[in-house]
Amino acid sequence: MTVHDDTRFDSIAVLALGALPPAESRELLQHIAECERCRKEYDEMRGAVDALALSAELTPSEFGGAQCERLRGRVMDAVRASVATSAVQPAGNVVDLAAKRRAAPAWFNYAAAAAIVLFASFAGWEALTLRSENGANQRQIALLQAQLEAQTREANGARAQLELESSRLADMIAPGAARYAVQNGVVVRSGGRILIALRHLPALPKGRTYQAWTLRRGAKTVTPSITFTPDAGGLALVELPERAGDVAAVAVSVEPEGGSKQPTSKPNFVRSLG
Amino acid sequence: MVDADRLMARVRERDVTAFEAVYDSSHRLVYGIAFKMLGDQAAAEDLAQAVFLKIWTSPEAFGGGNFGAWIARVTRNRALDMLRSRAARPESEIADDVPLAGSLDETVFARLDGERVRSALATLPAEQRTPIELGFFGGLTHDEIARQSDLPLGTVKTRIRAGLKKLRVALEGSPV
């Protein structure tokens, strides 16, 4: 049992704000678990912090019009696409990229859901078991809670990545998406995004990378976009950072690691998005 | 946030209309947090889309309580993930599933909106408001805030606490 000390109150406010480094957070959370006065202080600070987020809420005049409608369209298209995807069984035995795209959201969602369920079950079991111990184990509980929180943060990072991939895949199969066939894949313009899905990409030697290029509307020369590496199976799903409405054509070439300012090799493909 | 518990129960049953109602009641909060933290329109839209798809695919993650506070926390944590991926920031988030016990009284929270909180925040002196906003929306740690503000660490911590206390009092006393 650590002794209460009012000087911790300032750090507790910083902890509630989410601005305390991890090591200090763990130590302080351990103390808070044992100290009623500090727990009360922490709860009060947390109340203010929860409300703080509301200050970022925009008014209809600040966030409305075309941008607001575009975002709503993206989200609802993705939701409706997920409903349609889960309602329709894939037919036939033709294996193509579109089929892979339809299967991928489910895979991602199942994997994410399974990971979350397993983790939540583990966390819940740990907490339940330890809380049944007597007071002498409180210190260990606090330590385990801190460890679980650290694991949760790691899981959140992985989950955010999965969610991003899922949202890209959802955009690719959205009803309003425009698809442009390219060698070994497809370029998709959907919801303001440009996505490229390629398969059977050869692994590149060390020091080389794939790089995307975009031709802005009205421009005469291409602009470098992102570099990317396919997975072990030669599959790549990438989202270009450029806004779809600004881009007239897309290309991919093999470039030195880190990317080039101008293409240095013959492009794998050049595709107009007209 | 109108009857969020009931709407989320319908979302769990895959009711798209209920999801639309949830979206319509919270998209300005979600996008607003994302934009304030990321400072980039396209990234904020991507983040908002990811948050709402998360709600659609895992509605059970909302365990009840104040929906606005919960979705704000989810959004902030996802934005912190993105900020960290940009700049290798240390982790300093509040877990999504931390109970809201100790939050402002539910009735007080229910009548809060962006305008009221902004008004309350405006009553804080800049020396308190700035470190709070840097920590919350900027994702900075107290060390980073101290360096950026060129202030001793202890001063930054004291100002954050004083500001949060004052903010809480201002919110509890805000007019209906």
Side-chain angles (χ1 to χ4, degrees):
Chain A
M1 178 79 181
T2 50
V3 179
H4 172 77
D5 179 354
D6 279 359
T7 60
R8 286 196 178 94
F9 282 169
D10 284 351
S11 292
I12 286 171
V14 178
L15 173 70
L17 189 64
L20 205 62
E24 288 179 61
S25 295
R26 281 192 292 273
E27 189 180 331
L28 195 52
L29 281 168
Q30 189 171 332
H31 170 75
I32 288 171
E34 299 171 346
C35 177
E36 193 174 339
R37 286 176 65 187
C38 287
R39 193 160 53 245
K40 185 169 179 293
E41 175 77 9
Y42 179 60
D43 286 345
E44 286 186 6
M45 293 292 117
R46 281 275 314 286
V49 170
D50 277 338
L52 191 58
L54 300 182
S55 71
E57 186 176 32
L58 299 175
T59 63
S61 62
E62 291 169 324
F63 183 59
Q67 189 197 359
C68 190
E69 286 305 310
R70 184 178 64 237
L71 177 58
R72 192 177 198 282
R74 279 176 61 176
V75 172
M76 293 314 302
D77 282 353
V79 165
R80 291 191 183 101
S82 80
V83 172
T85 304
S86 61
V88 176
Q89 293 292 322
N93 56 0
V94 178
V95 178
D96 62 6
L97 189 60
K100 282 178 181 287
R101 286 200 305 273
R102 282 193 294 274
W107 183 89
F108 276 122
N109 287 339
Y110 292 146
I116 292 164
V117 167
L118 282 172
F119 181 80
S121 302
F122 173 72
W125 180 84
E126 282 284 8
L128 190 64
T129 304
L130 289 171
R131 280 176 191 142
S132 68
E133 302 283 334
N134 60 32
N137 284 334
Q138 288 296 315
R139 189 185 304 273
Q140 190 184 0
I141 291 173
L143 191 60
L144 279 170
Q145 283 174 332
Q147 289 170 345
L148 286 170
E149 281 164 12
Q151 289 173 347
T152 302
R153 283 193 290 270
E154 281 179 24
N156 283 344
R159 197 171 52 196
Q161 186 59 36
L162 282 171
E163 285 165 7
L164 188 60
E165 294 289 344
S166 294
S167 77
R168 286 174 180 161
L169 289 162
D171 263 0
M172 293 193 77
I173 60 172
R179 300 177 181 82
Y180 306 89
V182 297
Q183 184 182 358
N184 293 339
V186 64
V187 177
V188 178
R189 187 162 62 186
S190 177
R193 291 167 148 175
I194 297 177
L195 303 146
I196 303 175
L198 301 170
R199 58 182 172 174
H200 305 321
L201 285 178
L204 297 176
K206 192 174 178 184
R208 306 286 285 175
T209 185
Y210 288 97
Q211 181 169 5
W213 304 88
T214 58
L215 181 68
R216 302 289 175 116
R217 293 195 184 284
K220 292 183 178 172
T221 56
V222 293
T223 306
S225 187
I226 59 170
T227 60
F228 61 93
T229 304
D231 68 14
L235 189 68
L237 171 60
V238 295
E239 177 184 353
L240 304 192
E242 292 81 3
R243 304 296 299 164
D246 301 337
V247 176
V250 173
V252 167
S253 65
V254 175
E255 301 296 330
E257 198 168 48
S260 305
K261 291 183 179 176
Q262 293 293 329
T264 61
S265 68
K266 183 184 173 187
N268 294 36
F269 71 81
V270 178
R271 188 64 168 93
S272 165
L273 306 185
Chain B
M1 198 60 58
V2 180
D3 211 358
D5 281 342
R6 189 174 298 177
L7 284 175
M8 286 302 290
R10 287 169 53 196
V11 172
R12 279 191 279 274
E13 293 168 1
R14 320 309 290 155
D15 182 336
V16 176
T17 306
F19 175 82
E20 276 187 294
V22 169
Y23 176 89
D24 288 338
S25 66
S26 54
H27 68 287
R28 290 193 174 88
L29 174 62
V30 170
Y31 178 82
I33 294 170
F35 184 71
K36 187 154 188 171
M37 293 184 71
L38 302 174
D40 176 80
Q41 186 176 307
E45 285 185 21
D46 287 347
L47 183 77
Q49 182 178 9
V51 167
F52 282 109
L53 290 181
K54 169 69 184 171
I55 290 171
W56 175 248
T57 56
S58 307
E60 68 283 357
F62 173 59
N66 188 285
F67 183 79
W70 176 77
I71 197 172
R73 195 180 289 170
V74 170
T75 305
R76 179 177 181 263
N77 286 343
R78 298 298 171 273
L80 285 175
D81 287 336
M82 291 184 75
L83 287 173
R84 283 177 204 131
S85 69
R86 287 178 185 176
R89 291 251 172 78
E91 295 167 352
S92 56
E93 70 184 33
I94 304 161
D96 295 345
D97 55 355
V98 169
L100 297 173
S103 293
L104 288 165
D105 180 87
E106 194 69 12
T107 54
V108 173
F109 211 113
R111 63 182 164 80
L112 290 178
D113 57 21
E115 191 52 46
R116 286 203 171 100
V117 180
R118 278 195 290 273
S119 297
L121 202 53
T123 66
L124 270 56
E127 65 178 35
Q128 293 172 359
R129 189 175 61 247
T130 300
I132 286 173
E133 291 191 320
L134 284 173
F136 190 79
F137 291 114
L140 301 188
T141 64
H142 61 354
D143 296 306
E144 292 168 325
I145 297 168
R147 275 199 298 276
Q148 188 164 321
S149 313
D150 199 21
L151 288 168
L153 182 58
T155 303
V156 167
K157 292 163 74 173
T158 301
R159 288 180 180 179
I160 286 173
R161 181 178 177 229
L164 288 178
K165 283 179 84 78
K166 190 169 180 178
L167 178 64
R168 187 180 172 103
V169 170
L171 291 172
E172 285 175 333
S174 65
V176 178

